[in-house]
Amino acid sequence: MNKARVRFAPSPTGFVHVGSLLTALYDWLIARQTGGTFILRIEDTDQKRFVPGSVENLLSVLKKVGLNPDEGVMLDKDGKAVQKGKFGPYVQSERLDIYRKYADQLIESGDAYYCFCSEERLTALREEQEKNKQLTRYDGHCRDISLEEAKARVAGGEKYVIRQRVPQDETMIHNDIIRGEVKFPLDSIDDSVLMKSDGFPTYHLAVVVDDHLMEITHVIRAQEWLPSTPKHLLLYRSFGWSAPQFAHMSHLLNKDRSKLSKRQGDVAVEDYLTQGYLPEALLNFLATVGWNEGDGSEQEIYSLDELIRKFSLEKIHKTAAYFDREKLDWINGIYIRNLSVEKLTDLCLPYLESEIKNSKADMTYLRNIIALEQERLKKLADLPGLVSYFFVDLPDYPTEMLVWKKSTAEVTKKNIEMLFDFMFGLKKWDKEHLEKEIIGWIGDNKLTNGEVLWPLRVALTGLEKSPGPFEVAAVLGREKSLARIKSAIESL
């Protein structure tokens, strides 16, 4: 493949959807794979939906996950959005004169026409079509107005839009990278608006003009834009331009096949990063949601370098991709376990800020705590709930929790008193030594592991589920461990 020029072109309407990040990832991979260019363009022609700060937020998210654009809109060293590249402006609202020029060209060639229909007429038309269970579409009312008459009405100040003139006696054939050959009977496609009455273009005109002028070679976008593709191909033909290659991705759905939406859970990339999903794990997960390398490969974990080498648009699945949160947790857990304890500790510090401040814990203590939980951790935000007992003087729990299910409070108290005396005499306090000595002591006293280790673990952690008592005691240290065991005896 020659050097690709691909563009990620979101609308600045709020948070960054994980589906948008998936598109950006595929764009970025193709650019890196071919030694090409990853361009960020902002499609803000729908000014009603514009949310201030969205562009900066988008760029910040891309920076956090490592998908920085090579050209277009990007962040400067002060965190402000700037534009770089020879094909700018890269913000559509700054390109209105360009779109006007090409809309006028389509008018002159007869591939577009002025439409003077009022909103009231269009609403009544749509309601009538719905009532008769017909396809809702524009009826071509203004299609045959002569250009001379139309220009006179425009000059007279009459309100208008510009519509594309779609041929009605043709079937267009499109070869999609993902979907293969797709046929579009043009008589089922209406004359879409290309230029609105406010002077802003619609997506159909703007995207074609921009992609051509910016020399885009591949367009990767959601399946929902597939029905619009013949309109875009007609525009390329009207202008005498070569069209880029198109790849229409399937929808990203919940496991229950419903649309991934904010109402049903987290869909914003920021939410996942805040919860402590590592950027590289999130990208790994998204890359494999709707793609695999084929040839019987069962590989699930890919570095970005591996994805650059192995990814191909042709192997993206045609069927819907499912956002499986359990799989994301599993992948994130693998990435967490592959981190050094030092690196993981640095990443965890913001999540333990209040605990650290209240307990004045030092870095060695923190690293030991995090090393203890590293194997169980699925996302960083879970950490405070798992390790809070390390940052209190004594854990709080109901006394009855100390009693092993096959024992009694009296027996439990006697066993813990004996264990306390034994542990008080131990000289070494590492995990291996504690385990060896305590297991030996249990055997020597003809006790069972359950009736000793259960109350020991509860005394140390105050939890029903936690790491083993030897690991916890080693991290807590001799003084804190003995103090907690003594407190448990007193509570019994």
Side-chain angles (χ1 to χ4, degrees):
M1 188 187 293
N2 296 327
K3 289 185 177 181
R5 283 181 59 82
V6 292
R7 48 72 169 173
F8 176 48
S11 299
T13 56
F15 62 85
V16 184
H17 193 287
V18 288
S20 298
L21 182 60
L22 176 57
T23 303
L25 174 60
Y26 286 170
D27 280 323
W28 185 88
L29 288 173
I30 290 298
R32 292 294 169 269
Q33 192 176 76
T34 63
T37 307
F38 175 53
I39 301 156
L40 180 65
R41 186 172 74 217
I42 299 300
E43 298 190 343
D44 64 341
T45 56
D46 188 348
Q47 292 287 292
K48 293 178 182 177
R49 298 177 63 218
F50 177 78
V51 176
S54 292
V55 174
E56 289 77 10
N57 178 61
L58 164 69
L59 292 167
S60 174
V61 168
L62 291 179
K63 183 177 181 181
K64 287 176 183 177
V65 299
L67 304 184
N68 294 307
D70 306 310
E71 180 182 316
V73 184
M74 54 188 72
L75 289 176
D76 65 11
K77 57 182 174 60
D78 297 321
K80 295 182 179 180
V82 295
Q83 300 182 48
K84 294 183 180 179
K86 64 179 182 179
F87 296 97
Y90 295 90
V91 177
Q92 287 187 335
S93 60
E94 299 176 18
R95 298 171 62 84
L96 300 187
D97 290 343
I98 298 173
Y99 306 131
R100 179 82 247 180
K101 168 189 169 184
Y102 286 103
D104 290 344
Q105 183 177 321
L106 291 171
I107 288 285
E108 295 300 323
S109 67
D111 294 301
Y113 59 92
Y114 294 107
C115 173
F116 303 96
C117 292
S118 66
E119 286 294 329
E120 291 77 16
R121 181 184 183 277
L122 295 174
T123 298
L125 172 65
R126 183 171 58 253
E127 290 175 350
E128 182 67 19
Q129 288 171 337
E130 290 174 348
K131 177 182 176 182
N132 296 326
K133 298 183 178 179
Q134 296 173 323
L135 184 68
T136 55
R137 53 183 293 175
Y138 181 62
D139 62 356
H141 181 74
C142 296
R143 186 179 173 105
D144 296 325
I145 297 175
S146 70
L147 182 56
E148 184 180 9
E149 178 189 341
K151 285 186 175 181
R153 292 172 68 172
V154 169
E158 196 167 339
K159 189 176 180 181
Y160 69 91
V161 299
I162 295 176
R163 289 185 181 272
Q164 183 177 19
R165 190 187 302 274
V166 178
Q168 297 298 295
D169 55 354
E170 181 183 343
T171 295
M172 179 165 280
I173 298 175
H174 163 60
N175 289 301
D176 192 87
I177 295 175
I178 297 172
R179 306 194 170 276
E181 184 177 279
V182 186
K183 295 182 179 180
F184 300 99
L186 296 187
D187 59 6
S188 65
I189 298 172
D190 70 347
D191 293 351
S192 296
V193 174
L194 298 178
M195 187 70 76
K196 295 177 285 187
S197 58
D198 62 2
F200 277 80
T202 62
Y203 174 80
H204 304 301
L205 178 62
V207 73
V208 168
V209 170
D210 288 348
D211 284 348
H212 172 72
L213 296 181
M214 295 179 187
E215 299 181 1
I216 301 303
T217 61
H218 297 75
V219 172
I220 305 168
R221 61 188 182 186
Q223 174 185 334
E224 64 197 55
W225 291 111
L226 186 60
S228 297
T229 302
K231 301 177 185 181
H232 301 165
L233 292 175
L234 281 172
L235 287 172
Y236 279 105
R237 189 169 78 182
S238 297
F239 289 125
W241 299 337
S242 296
Q245 290 182 271
F246 288 91
H248 287 91
M249 302 159 43
S250 295
H251 294 300
L252 190 57
L253 303 177
N254 290 305
K255 288 180 71 176
D256 63 2
R257 297 178 179 268
S258 62
K259 188 175 180 180
L260 204 63
S261 68
K262 192 72 174 175
R263 292 187 301 274
Q264 293 180 276
D266 299 315
V267 296
V269 176
E270 299 97 313
D271 291 340
Y272 288 96
L273 297 177
T274 299
Q275 290 171 45
Y277 287 99
L278 305 183
E280 52 270 36
L282 184 58
L283 292 179
N284 185 153
F285 168 73
L286 287 174
T288 55
V289 158
W291 166 89
N292 64 46
E293 59 182 295
D295 300 323
S297 172
E298 295 183 1
Q299 184 173 347
E300 298 274 13
I301 305 302
Y302 292 88
S303 67
L304 277 178
D305 286 341
E306 283 184 294
L307 286 171
I308 290 170
R309 292 197 310 271
K310 296 182 177 184
F311 177 77
S312 69
L313 293 171
E314 290 80 4
K315 291 182 179 178
I316 294 176
H317 302 159
K318 293 181 183 179
T319 55
Y322 296 103
F323 196 97
D324 185 345
R325 187 70 171 259
E326 291 179 1
K327 183 177 179 182
L328 174 58
D329 287 346
W330 175 75
I331 289 176
N332 201 55
I334 289 175
Y335 275 84
I336 286 173
R337 291 191 287 279
N338 286 335
L339 291 173
S340 68
V341 174
E342 290 74 19
K343 174 65 174 176
L344 181 57
T345 301
D346 289 341
L347 293 174
C348 289
L349 289 178
Y351 296 89
L352 296 174
E353 189 173 353
S354 61
E355 286 84 356
I356 294 169
K357 183 178 180 180
N358 293 334
S359 65
K360 299 180 181 179
D362 60 32
M363 287 302 296
T364 300
Y365 188 53
L366 288 172
R367 279 194 290 269
N368 289 338
I369 292 170
I370 289 165
L372 183 62
E373 287 293 343
Q374 188 167 10
E375 287 297 314
R376 299 199 311 154
L377 199 56
K378 293 180 179 178
K379 56 184 186 292
L380 305 187
D382 292 340
L383 192 61
L386 295 172
V387 301
S388 59
Y389 61 89
F390 281 108
F391 300 99
V392 296
D393 292 332
L394 294 171
D396 184 25
Y397 54 90
T399 301
E400 57 268 23
M401 190 190 294
L402 286 163
V403 181
W404 174 240
K405 59 186 177 182
K406 296 180 181 180
S407 187
T408 64
E410 293 76 14
V411 171
T412 298
K413 182 177 182 181
K414 176 184 176 183
N415 290 340
I416 297 180
E417 286 176 335
M418 293 167 58
L419 179 63
F420 176 86
D421 291 339
F422 175 74
M423 292 179 68
F424 190 85
L426 293 176
K427 303 301 181 184
K428 291 179 63 178
W429 203 269
D430 58 78
K431 183 259 182 187
E432 290 75 17
H433 186 70
L434 286 169
E435 183 171 7
K436 177 184 175 183
E437 293 296 324
I438 292 173
I439 293 295
W441 177 84
I442 290 172
D444 292 343
N445 287 275
K446 295 182 172 53
L447 300 171
T448 66
N449 287 347
E451 63 184 328
V452 174
L453 299 184
W454 173 270
L456 174 59
R457 189 172 56 76
V458 172
L460 296 175
T461 68
L463 302 174
E464 291 186 344
K465 295 181 179 180
S466 71
F470 311 119
E471 293 92 334
V472 173
V475 172
L476 282 170
R478 186 176 189 275
E479 183 178 340
K480 289 182 179 178
S481 297
L482 291 174
R484 293 183 181 203
I485 298 170
K486 185 177 181 180
S487 175
I489 295 169
E490 292 170 352
S491 70
L492 286 164

